[in-house]
Amino acid sequence: MMNYLIKGARPLGGEPADILVEDGRIAAVGDSLDATGAEVVEATGLIALPGLVDLHTHLREPGREDAETVETGSRAAALGGFTAVHAMANTDPVADTAGVVEQVWRLGQEAGLVDVVPVGAVTVGLGGERLAELGAMADSAARVRIFSDDGHCVADPALMRRALEYVKAFDGVVAQHAEEPRLTAGAQMHEGDRSAKLGLTGWPAAAEEGIIARDVLLAEHVGARLHVCHVSTAGSVEILRWAKSRGVQVTAEVTPHHLLLTDACAESYDPVFKVNPPLRTDRDVEALRAGLADGTIDAVGTDHAPHAVEDKESEWAQARPGMLGLEQALSVVIETMVEPGRLDWAGVADRMSVRPAAIGRLDGHGRPIAPGEPANLVLVDPAARATVDPAALASRSRNSPYAGRELPGRVVATFLRGVPTVLDGKATR
Ligand SMILES: [Zn+2]
């Protein structure tokens, strides 16, 4: 195994230091380290962060390998600075048994680019009627700790309560896609002035907020952990702030696209901007940024949702919801949070690595950059700027909402347990 001397990087944006990586671990952090025989990675001007952890990735395998595979999605993740991603359960077949989650986990191991951590479905077939084999998935080789019917809401409150009670036995968490389906039938975009003007059926903020309010009360009642996926409204942030002040064990994530884009994008009728939950208003975006800054929102989760051309490049009404996120997530966070001074680099490490790793109960990720720790690291050039070209992405799909947009920050290198998966901004395999 090759050893590496990362020279002159700034851990969490602090003073420059050398980082010596030996046998997959950080052996030393300090000035002018002697590292005879180690490969030198010149990192002057680069920020060193713990490898990023995504709570919310759609890898599409098994079932839709034309849109993404575990390998292509893993490569996109590594290029985005991630060392671990949670793979959502809405595959075909659905990841609702020990067999399917082990298959996804094994494919991730074979690709070897990031740790692929399967999410287990809450209900059989995402059907919302019967609990899946949660315990068997938790006990499997995939060690599932996050359970979600994402794409669908666990709408039945009695079933949601039972799921919350069940996962307590193995310190699991239910990650809810908060959407009251009877309020969003036929919805095409955020319900407000713009949907009225465009004549598109609206998705009201209350459909998200009502479920979050219900679920934090259920989580409090049964004393279980709840995680809220892709929070998108100002009202949701208020409910989470209230719940946390009461001591409810609730965590939440926001997507990069909800931090940057608004429902004004729908005026283009370009289906690349169709997503669930929909892009909201300027006021919501401001509340999400404030919530991420003050920690009410714990984490950034990409909701990376690759779609094949025929599912996305159609009329708005027919297009599948969802957009790519892994390769530009860090750049969007730099643009919306770091450059405006709302989050420093330690804050980025916290919201994109430390807290997501803790929510997923992952070992070896989200750790300090310190001797003895596993060398899961990313080196970022904060001064670089680039225009996003979908054709250049590693993802098998092309539905990036950032096409043609200039964004700051470039991932120069990513290390997974001391092995570079990205060097000089390029995937190593
Ligand atoms: Zn979702």
Side-chain angles (χ1 to χ4, degrees), residues 199-250:
L200 293 172
T201 305
W203 197 127
E208 174 173 307
E209 294 155 5
I211 294 290
I212 297 175
R214 181 199 80 177
D215 287 353
V216 296
L217 294 172
L218 287 173
E220 179 176 49
H221 182 61
V222 306
R225 286 206 294 144
L226 168 71
H227 178 72
V228 184
C229 297
H230 43 51
V231 169
S232 71
T233 78
S236 296
V237 178
E238 281 185 58
I239 294 163
L240 289 164
R241 198 172 278 129
W242 172 83
K244 287 190 167 190
S245 76
R246 284 170 70 92
V248 178
Q249 297 179 72
V250 61

Side-chain angles (χ1 to χ4, degrees), residues 127-166:
E129 292 184 350
R130 277 190 304 129
L131 284 188
E133 301 166 4
L134 309 185
M137 289 188 275
D139 291 341
S140 75
R143 261 190 93 255
V144 175
R145 288 295 176 273
I146 301 183
F147 296 87
S148 183
D149 274 4
D150 183 63
H152 302 272
C153 184
V154 181
D156 178 340
L159 199 60
M160 185 63 182
R161 175 193 176 154
R162 293 217 343 264
L164 287 165
E165 285 172 338
Y166 200 146

Side-chain angles (χ1 to χ4, degrees), residues 6 13 36 44 63 79 135 222 245 352 357 388 397-398:
I6 299 167
T36 313
T44 303
L79 285 163
V222 306
S245 76
M352 297 188 78
V388 178
S397 292
R398 293 288 168 261

Side-chain angles (χ1 to χ4, degrees), residues 39-311:
E39 185 100 337
V40 172
V41 177
E42 185 51 59
T44 303
L46 306 186
I47 308 292
L49 300 175
L52 307 183
V53 175
D54 193 15
L55 287 166
H56 195 142
T57 306
H58 296 278
L59 291 176
R60 303 299 189 216
E61 186 176 6
R64 284 308 299 264
E65 291 83 354
D66 56 328
E68 196 78 287
T69 66
V70 170
E71 186 186 343
T72 60
S74 292
R75 191 170 293 116
L79 285 163
F82 292 88
T83 51
V85 299
H86 289 82
M88 275 298 172
N90 62 338
T91 48
D92 183 13
V94 170
D96 59 2
T97 63
V100 179
V101 294
E102 283 185 350
Q103 178 192 355
V104 172
W105 176 76
R106 201 169 301 115
L107 287 167
Q109 297 273 304
E110 285 165 15
L113 291 156
V114 293
D115 284 343
V116 173
V117 186
V119 172
V122 176
T123 67
V124 174
L126 309 178
E129 292 184 350
R130 277 190 304 129
L131 284 188
E133 301 166 4
L134 309 185
M137 289 188 275
D139 291 341
S140 75
R143 261 190 93 255
V144 175
R145 288 295 176 273
I146 301 183
F147 296 87
S148 183
D149 274 4
D150 183 63
H152 302 272
C153 184
V154 181
D156 178 340
L159 199 60
M160 185 63 182
R161 175 193 176 154
R162 293 217 343 264
L164 287 165
E165 285 172 338
Y166 200 146
V167 300
K168 280 171 69 179
F170 34 82
D171 197 23
V173 60
V174 179
Q176 176 71 293
H177 167 117
E179 173 184 2
E180 168 49 60
R182 282 156 292 193
L183 288 172
T184 61
Q188 296 290 333
M189 65 175 291
H190 171 66
E191 181 173 311
D193 295 343
R194 284 203 171 91
S195 63
K197 196 177 86 188
L198 297 173
L200 293 172
T201 305
W203 197 127
E208 174 173 307
E209 294 155 5
I211 294 290
I212 297 175
R214 181 199 80 177
D215 287 353
V216 296
L217 294 172
L218 287 173
E220 179 176 49
H221 182 61
V222 306
R225 286 206 294 144
L226 168 71
H227 178 72
V228 184
C229 297
H230 43 51
V231 169
S232 71
T233 78
S236 296
V237 178
E238 281 185 58
I239 294 163
L240 289 164
R241 198 172 278 129
W242 172 83
K244 287 190 167 190
S245 76
R246 284 170 70 92
V248 178
Q249 297 179 72
V250 61
T251 56
E253 75 195 23
V254 60
T255 71
H257 47 272
H258 287 108
L259 286 172
L260 181 65
L261 307 174
T262 70
D263 62 347
C265 293
E267 290 176 350
S268 68
Y269 287 104
D270 183 341
V272 80
F273 298 114
K274 184 173 173 181
V275 65
N276 189 17
L279 301 173
R280 304 287 186 183
T281 67
D282 286 320
R283 186 179 145 267
D284 295 304
V285 168
E286 171 50 33
L288 295 169
R289 291 180 183 182
L292 186 63
D294 72 17
T296 301
I297 298 174
D298 300 80
V300 175
T302 69
D303 198 2
H304 177 82
H307 284 300
V309 168
E310 67 269 24
D311 291 328

